Amino acid sequence: MPTLRTALTPTLAIAYAEHGPPDGPPVVLLHGFPYAPDSYDAVVPFLVAAGRRVIVPYLRGYGPTRFLSAATPRSGQQAALGRDLLDLLDALAIPRAVLAGYDWGGRAACVVAALWPERCAGLVSCTGYNIQDIAAAVHPAAPEQEHRHWYQYYFHTARGRAGLEANRAGIARLLWRLWSPDWTFDDATFTASATAFDNPDFVSVVIQSYRHRFGYAAGDPALEPIEAALAAQPRITVPTIAPHGAADGVGPVEGSAGHARYFTGPYERRVIPRVGHNPPQEAPEVFARCILDLP
């Protein structure tokens, strides 16, 4: 692993690793909750071998990434994740990159692809269209899906916040098992990622994220114009491949079956057998191929 670097944006000091030739076509790989950049360790070599410049950042609230000001709201809302990604591209003077991610990282990539398509050369977004429809979140889902989202409702409570503070690694390990039932990971693999949860803002960012997406927490006022644009469920025009693990234990594969309607550019959905919620770590070669196959 290369030495971590730091990119200064208006709100964050973003820790990131960089791989491959500095003049190669750039790719940004974005992790989700509760994971870390380690999920891309086996993806990176395929991309570097293809001549890509690969950037792998820690999201806000993870690892060595830090807020620059105590006054900045510790928000995990979708607008914050998208703005952070755009700011990272600006800080690294990258005019246009392939954006790839899953879970929170897929959401950040979708936000930039939808609102700033000129900055996105192509998109790989696990489970398809990841922009939240917050206005519709008040409507209950099917009972099975409500059951899968137990952790989100837990985080809506004071008990859930205290539980995450006390048991952040324990909750994450449980979610890994539930969401990827066919993936057998060892203690070393989990621990390598779990160290990222020791960030002092991890709990605040996570709790705000899961409350905001249901309308139970206010967003960062500075991000309201972005949230207003996302409320329109903007279509994505850039070339997109949407991998979806067939064994995803939180976002079942049928959930993305109708997502083509959100994409007006070239779009392909790829179902990956026996893979759960973390495709880059469970099927790294397949995930890398999605990036390299973008038109």
Side-chain angles (χ1 to χ4, degrees), residues 29-33 35-37 39-40 57-59 62 100-106:
L29 304 177
L30 299 144
H31 70 86
F33 166 86
Y35 302 96
S39 56
Y40 289 107
Y58 284 87
L59 300 186
Y62 291 80
Y102 65 102
D103 197 84
W104 286 24

Side-chain angles (χ1 to χ4, degrees), residues 130-141:
N130 275 300
I131 294 174
Q132 295 159 346
D133 186 353
I134 295 174
V138 297
H139 303 300

Side-chain angles (χ1 to χ4, degrees), residues 168-243:
R168 57 187 79 183
I171 289 172
R173 186 188 289 267
L174 172 61
L175 295 178
W176 281 32
R177 293 202 313 266
L178 294 175
W179 295 354
S180 298
D182 297 325
W183 179 35
T184 302
F185 57 88
D186 58 22
D187 287 343
T189 298
F190 175 76
T191 300
S193 289
T195 57
F197 314 149
D198 293 333
N199 184 294
D201 297 305
F202 175 78
V203 172
S204 294
V205 169
V206 169
I207 294 299
Q208 197 278 346
S209 175
Y210 286 103
R211 293 181 182 179
H212 181 272
R213 67 184 63 190
F214 286 89
Y216 298 145
D220 181 343
L223 298 172
E224 282 311 300
I226 298 177
E227 285 293 347
L230 297 175
Q233 298 285 276
R235 272 34 182 178
I236 292 174
T237 61
V238 305
T240 300
I241 294 178

Side-chain angles (χ1 to χ4, degrees), residues 72-279:
T72 302
R74 270 40 177 178
S75 169
Q77 69 193 94
Q78 59 182 349
L81 302 177
R83 184 74 240 186
D84 289 348
L85 175 54
L86 187 68
D87 288 344
L88 176 64
L89 295 176
D90 288 344
L92 298 181
I94 296 175
R96 197 162 175 260
V98 167
L99 308 177
Y102 65 102
D103 197 84
W104 286 24
R107 182 161 301 114
C110 282
V111 169
V112 172
L115 299 185
W116 297 280
E118 71 279 3
R119 307 301 297 274
C120 182
L123 173 67
V124 172
S125 175
C126 294
T127 69
Y129 188 80
N130 275 300
I131 294 174
Q132 295 159 346
D133 186 353
I134 295 174
V138 297
H139 303 300
E144 292 83 359
Q145 191 60 36
E146 296 283 85
H147 178 259
R148 295 182 190 103
H149 283 169
W150 67 269
Y151 67 101
Q152 301 189 20
Y153 310 140
Y154 180 55
F155 292 158
H156 295 170
T157 68
R159 182 183 182 91
R161 184 187 180 102
L164 184 62
E165 187 71 68
N167 301 301
R168 57 187 79 183
I171 289 172
R173 186 188 289 267
L174 172 61
L175 295 178
W176 281 32
R177 293 202 313 266
L178 294 175
W179 295 354
S180 298
D182 297 325
W183 179 35
T184 302
F185 57 88
D186 58 22
D187 287 343
T189 298
F190 175 76
T191 300
S193 289
T195 57
F197 314 149
D198 293 333
N199 184 294
D201 297 305
F202 175 78
V203 172
S204 294
V205 169
V206 169
I207 294 299
Q208 197 278 346
S209 175
Y210 286 103
R211 293 181 182 179
H212 181 272
R213 67 184 63 190
F214 286 89
Y216 298 145
D220 181 343
L223 298 172
E224 282 311 300
I226 298 177
E227 285 293 347
L230 297 175
Q233 298 285 276
R235 272 34 182 178
I236 292 174
T237 61
V238 305
T240 300
I241 294 178
H244 200 146
D248 192 323
V250 66
V253 69
E254 59 269 19
S256 66
H259 281 200
R261 69 186 185 276
Y262 294 110
F263 298 87
T264 60
Y267 173 78
E268 180 185 352
R269 177 175 176 262
R270 296 183 180 180
V271 175
I272 312 173
R274 298 179 301 281
V275 166
H277 194 61
N278 183 4

